[in-house]
Amino acid sequence: MNYTFFPGCLLDTIAVPYRKSLEAVFEKLGITVSELHDWNCCGGGTYFDVDDGVCAMLSARNLARAERLNRELIMACNMCYDVHQRAHRLSANNDDVGARIREGLQSIGLEYTGTLKIRHVLEILAADPARSKISGSITHPLTGLKVACYYGCRGLRPAGTGFDDPESPRSMDCIVELLGAIPLSYPHKTTCCGGSLIAAAGQDALYTLKRLLTAAHEHGADCIATSCPMCQWNLDSYQWLVNRAYDMKFQIPVLSITQLLGMALGLPDEKIMLNRSMTAQKVLESGWPGSQG
Amino acid sequence: MMREGMNPAKHVYRCIQCGVCSAVCPVVDLMDMEPRRLVGLLMDTGVALPWAPESLRVCTGCYLCSDQCPQKVPVAEIFRELREKIRQTEYSPSSLDMTDLRGPVMKQITRYGRLYDIPAPAKTSFQQFSTTSFNKNEWKQFQRITRVKIRKKNIAGMKDIRTLLKQPKQNTDIT
């Protein structure tokens, strides 16, 4: 199985462990992912709210170039996924918006016909052939590890455009089950983490994270698994700020789903990079009930 | 489903003011005008915006309001379009410019075609915590993970990006 991979800006900056673990996991599973050559920013965090058309055109450049390769395009970031899916839909519109995108692409000598399949990493991992490959290659089952699966918002909404059910998604829970761990019935699976609002509004916005962390804690989670670099970053690197702001003592490890997979597949730490995180290494240090022996 | 990109604000007249959008909004506590009232205002003014509420900046665009609306009012799309509008007019409030990170981030796209300086937001929110005492180990680890060594490099297709950014803008219904 071959896929074209669109990493997105976050996976090259604040979410390097997500990228490294993702590549290592796919390699271990024998699935080839080749990075889309010379990709550009999808415009999600920037032009999306400033000029929707520009945002769609930037994404459409990636789509048009990926379409030529005749492989499915996979994304690891919820924002990139949503923005590219949106550009894919808008470019087929028979109106001004669609026309603007098509003209934009034409001006740089590209064309997008809409045959490309855009998919999320989670979707790939939860379905065959990856699924059966995972169950066949687990060497270090995460028996007894209680995982709060956190999907985030933009990969699943607006309804009908996402890769899973927007209200009770299952794909990550399936993967977690495969690994021998226990997926919790976590109520905030698709609640927004606050995204870049936390960077803009600072302390005021931390309560969005407090809500997610409190629920995970109350449900007895040993860790939170994420499938989006932004969610991962917020829950992990700002957890101690939440503790300061609300006088809490959260120490919940936050891992990307590919890091969890990497642990179960027995990948070495330099490949899954648990040490490049505020919280994740605690999973290894203190273990969890059932991790001994 | 409503077709996207087709002036979503004209769908406000379907609103029955039930308030589900406000009830489900994860960041409504930070808003000066909750989604229900903002949609109501748009109905009253004939889809004009007399001023720019802070709510527009606060919205994270998670689409929960649109998904849960019984009348299928595309609330999040409307918020997005209003944001787009206020960023293009002179009446955007000063607080919006102060905390808005998009300006510097957009410059990176014009320059490199990708974003490289993402840890910048982390530093911004840190300034508000500077008076609190930090645990030394946490602070060290935080510095370690936010320091990312990347060689900033233009993508080869910068000419494409510049051409796309120059494409003329189309008009919307909101005044």
Side-chain angles (χ1 to χ4, degrees):
Chain A
M1 221 36 204
N2 282 338
Y3 297 101
T4 309
F5 176 43
F6 176 84
C9 308
L10 292 183
L11 264 75
D12 270 350
T13 51
I14 61 175
V16 175
Y18 187 12
R19 175 172 183 154
K20 294 281 179 215
S21 58
L22 187 149
E23 286 171 347
V25 163
F26 275 106
E27 194 193 330
K28 178 95 181 175
L29 296 177
I31 299 172
T32 315
V33 288
S34 26
E35 182 174 343
L36 175 64
H37 175 68
D38 206 42
W39 54 269
N40 58 269
C41 170
C42 66
T46 52
Y47 285 95
F48 184 66
D49 290 335
V50 177
D51 188 337
D52 192 24
V54 166
C55 178
M57 283 191 282
L58 287 172
S59 302
R61 175 178 179 269
N62 292 327
L63 297 180
R65 297 178 70 252
E67 194 179 33
R68 294 172 170 177
L69 304 171
N70 281 327
R71 287 191 299 251
E72 292 181 353
L73 180 66
I74 60 169
M75 318 231 162
C77 169
N78 286 359
M79 174 78 95
C80 300
Y81 176 82
D82 175 45
V83 166
H84 280 97
Q85 286 281 15
R86 189 181 160 91
H88 170 80
R89 296 192 298 272
L90 288 178
S91 68
N93 272 8
N94 194 17
D95 59 19
D96 290 356
V97 185
R100 190 177 175 216
I101 298 168
R102 289 189 291 273
E103 278 162 26
L105 281 182
Q106 222 168 39
S107 70
I108 56 171
L110 290 173
E111 191 193 1
Y112 181 59
T113 57
T115 55
L116 183 71
K117 273 214 173 97
I118 308 158
R119 306 184 65 187
H120 196 281
V121 166
L122 213 47
E123 195 184 354
I124 301 293
L125 291 173
D128 280 330
R131 192 188 153 84
S132 43
K133 282 184 180 166
I134 292 172
S135 46
S137 12
I138 294 170
T139 53
H140 298 64
L142 308 175
T143 316
L145 181 74
K146 284 184 264 173
V147 185
C149 296
Y150 179 64
Y151 295 75
C153 51
R154 294 284 285 273
L156 304 173
R157 289 195 292 262
T161 65
F163 59 84
D164 205 335
D165 186 290
E167 287 185 357
S168 57
R170 283 288 304 153
S171 44
M172 201 194 296
D173 296 63
C174 289
I175 300 169
V176 166
E177 260 167 16
L178 276 183
L179 307 182
I182 308 164
L184 298 169
S185 75
Y186 181 54
H188 288 299
K189 280 181 182 178
T190 67
T191 308
C192 176
C193 69
S196 51
L197 179 66
I198 295 172
Q203 188 159 356
D204 293 342
L206 285 174
Y207 84 96
T208 53
L209 296 176
K210 183 189 164 223
R211 187 182 289 163
L212 301 176
L213 293 167
T214 310
H217 180 74
E218 292 299 320
H219 282 73
D222 293 319
C223 71
I224 299 177
T226 63
S227 60
C228 169
M230 194 79 213
C231 308
Q232 160 88 22
W233 175 257
N234 281 338
L235 284 165
D236 176 55
S237 340
Y238 295 147
Q239 196 171 130
W240 62 303
L241 296 185
V242 174
N243 287 344
R244 290 291 177 285
Y246 297 100
D247 201 17
M248 309 297 268
K249 291 198 169 57
F250 292 125
Q251 286 210 332
I252 307 175
V254 183
L255 288 84
S256 57
I257 186 67
T258 48
Q259 284 179 308
L260 266 187
L261 261 164
M263 279 170 69
L265 299 179
L267 295 175
D269 193 46
E270 63 264 26
K271 295 223 169 151
I272 56 174
M273 297 175 87
L274 290 182
N275 58 353
R276 277 266 329 235
S277 146
M278 291 295 286
T279 59
Q281 67 273 43
K282 291 195 186 87
V283 161
L284 293 181
E285 280 167 14
S286 42
W288 61 92
S291 64
Q292 308 303 322
Chain B
M1 199 176 70
M2 186 210 65
R3 287 225 341 257
E4 291 160 303
M6 293 287 288
N7 296 320
K10 69 183 176 205
H11 298 284
V12 292
Y13 299 108
R14 291 206 295 257
C15 174
I16 52 170
Q17 289 285 292
C18 68
V20 164
C21 49
S22 302
V24 296
C25 177
V27 289
V28 71
D29 294 356
L30 299 177
M31 290 186 169
D32 55 349
M33 183 181 262
E34 47 165 313
R36 179 188 67 87
R37 286 189 55 212
L38 204 140
V39 174
L41 176 77
L42 290 174
M43 284 200 286
D44 295 342
T45 57
V47 201
L49 200 64
W51 78 97
E54 278 289 285
S55 307
L56 296 174
R57 177 180 69 85
V58 172
C59 170
T60 60
C62 80
Y63 293 110
L64 195 52
C65 47
S66 305
D67 267 16
Q68 299 293 330
C69 175
Q71 288 291 93
K72 305 261 182 298
V73 177
V75 190
E77 282 288 328
I78 294 169
F79 266 60
R80 198 204 58 74
E81 187 159 300
L82 291 175
R83 272 202 296 275
E84 197 173 291
K85 198 73 191 171
I86 59 168
R87 292 217 163 93
Q88 287 159 5
T89 49
E90 64 282 6
Y91 63 63
S92 53
S94 57
S95 58
L96 233 153
D97 303 325
M98 257 168 56
T99 48
D100 198 2
L101 303 160
R102 286 184 178 78
V105 179
M106 273 156 65
K107 267 188 204 139
Q108 293 187 55
I109 299 189
T110 334
R111 171 84 175 79
Y112 305 110
R114 291 181 195 170
L115 311 182
Y116 285 109
D117 200 9
I118 315 267
K123 286 167 198 153
T124 319
S125 48
F126 248 111
Q127 288 164 4
Q128 301 171 47
F129 282 90
S130 53
T131 50
T132 349
S133 61
F134 288 112
N135 175 324
K136 238 184 199 166
N137 291 339
E138 282 176 334
W139 177 232
K140 255 191 186 160
Q141 176 72 354
F142 188 80
Q143 281 185 312
R144 203 171 76 82
I145 65 167
T146 47
R147 219 176 302 135
V148 187
K149 276 187 201 152
I150 312 168
R151 211 163 56 105
K152 296 183 182 177
K153 211 176 133 220
N154 294 356
I155 65 164
M158 270 320 290
K159 210 175 142 216
D160 292 359
I161 305 298
R162 291 196 194 102
T163 313
L164 291 180
L165 294 179
K166 272 187 217 140
Q167 294 292 315
K169 173 88 186 86
Q170 77 242 350
N171 290 320
T172 60
D173 275 354
I174 302 172
T175 52

